[in-house]
Amino acid sequence: MNLILLAVFLLDEPVSTYLLRTPSVLKPIGSFVTDFGKSGWILMVSALLFGEALTKARLVRSAALRLQAFLISHVAAYVFLTVALSGLAANLAKRMIGRVRPLFAPDGSAFGFSPLHGSYQFESFPSGHATTVGALMMALALMAPAWRVHCLVLGLWLGFSRVIVGAHYPSDVIAGLVFGAWFSIVTATVFARYGLLFTAQDGSLPRLCRPLPLSLPSRRAGRWRTLLPVLGGSASGGQPTAAA
């Protein structure tokens, strides 16, 4: 909340005015990466992965492979619910708040509001793209703790691409990133409460119940080998083991 308030009073107007009026080498980069914050492709991939995992769980005979398939289905369901529900909440909030977007602010003011206006130009706070990015990056960070710094850096670039292209103020992006990340943690906590995918820890973030079975076929032996030991799996097989 402090970051959002500071951005509203200190950053929003000067940053948006500068970016809209000054040519910048960052604008082509922002235009290229900004669409990665759309939720459609994430929801489609996670839904397809969920269906494929459930199908595999019914077809395989091995109990270990069936457990892996169910684990992947839980991952897909977690990502889908996190991105979908946080996006719905952010879209509802931006329509109720009705903050004008930088591109449509006539006098460059960041304090133009028209609650329940219902049009694109008054749907700036919070950023829906940034909410999706925050939710996805935090979900990945919870499932791959060793990659948390990478998720943070990527999340900041993807989120603030909305500022670079003039679609949002910095405070819109900060609010979206924080809300999406918070929503991922809450969803993981709910999953942990029901014994799905995560386990709760006192005073710490939820963690996976067991490592993810992420592997690719070996070229020589034709068997599966684990590629991401950073997730906590064994490099010798790809079978799920109890998390340490």
Side-chain angles (χ1 to χ4, degrees):
M1 290 299 298
N2 285 328
L3 286 175
I4 294 170
L5 291 174
L6 288 172
V8 167
F9 292 107
L10 299 178
L11 297 178
D12 284 0
E13 289 187 3
V15 170
S16 61
T17 301
Y18 173 81
L19 290 173
L20 290 174
R21 297 179 180 178
T22 308
S24 173
V25 295
L26 292 177
K27 286 186 177 180
I29 300 176
S31 300
F32 174 74
V33 304
T34 189
D35 285 343
F36 285 96
K38 290 184 176 180
S39 60
W41 71 272
I42 302 173
L43 298 178
M44 182 178 297
V45 171
S46 56
L48 290 174
L49 185 60
F50 179 78
E52 180 70 14
L54 286 185
T55 302
K56 292 294 183 181
R58 294 183 177 183
L59 294 178
V60 297
R61 298 181 178 179
S62 169
L65 292 178
R66 189 177 299 112
L67 180 62
Q68 289 182 357
F70 278 122
L71 180 61
I72 295 299
S73 70
H74 292 166
V75 170
Y78 167 64
V79 173
F80 183 92
L81 290 174
T82 296
V83 172
L85 295 180
S86 64
L88 288 174
N91 285 327
L92 178 61
K94 67 169 60 180
R95 283 166 173 77
M96 294 180 64
I97 296 172
R99 189 186 193 187
V100 66
R101 293 179 183 269
L103 291 171
F104 302 98
D107 55 354
S109 174
F111 296 94
F113 293 90
S114 181
L116 302 176
H117 189 280
S119 66
Y120 172 81
Q121 67 186 46
F122 286 98
E123 294 180 355
S124 187
F125 184 92
S127 168
H129 281 66
T131 299
T132 296
V133 169
L136 178 62
M137 290 299 110
M138 178 55 75
L140 295 178
L142 291 177
M143 293 185 289
W147 287 30
R148 285 179 179 175
V149 175
H150 302 79
C151 292
L152 174 62
V153 173
L154 184 59
L156 290 175
W157 271 101
L158 292 177
F160 278 93
S161 68
R162 303 301 291 164
V163 177
I164 295 173
V165 300
H168 287 283
Y169 298 102
S171 61
D172 301 335
V173 171
I174 295 173
L177 289 174
V178 171
F179 177 71
W182 172 83
F183 205 97
S184 288
I185 295 173
V186 171
T187 306
T189 303
V190 173
F191 269 55
R193 183 175 300 174
Y194 291 95
L196 299 173
L197 189 60
F198 292 98
T199 180
Q201 301 183 110
D202 292 335
S204 184
L205 295 174
R207 60 178 298 176
L208 289 177
C209 294
R210 52 177 54 84
L212 298 180
L214 299 180
S215 54
L216 289 176
S218 173
R219 293 181 178 178
R220 295 182 178 180
R223 56 188 177 85
W224 297 85
R225 58 187 178 88
T226 301
L227 291 183
L228 297 179
V230 295
L231 295 177
S234 170
S236 61
Q239 299 292 340
T241 57

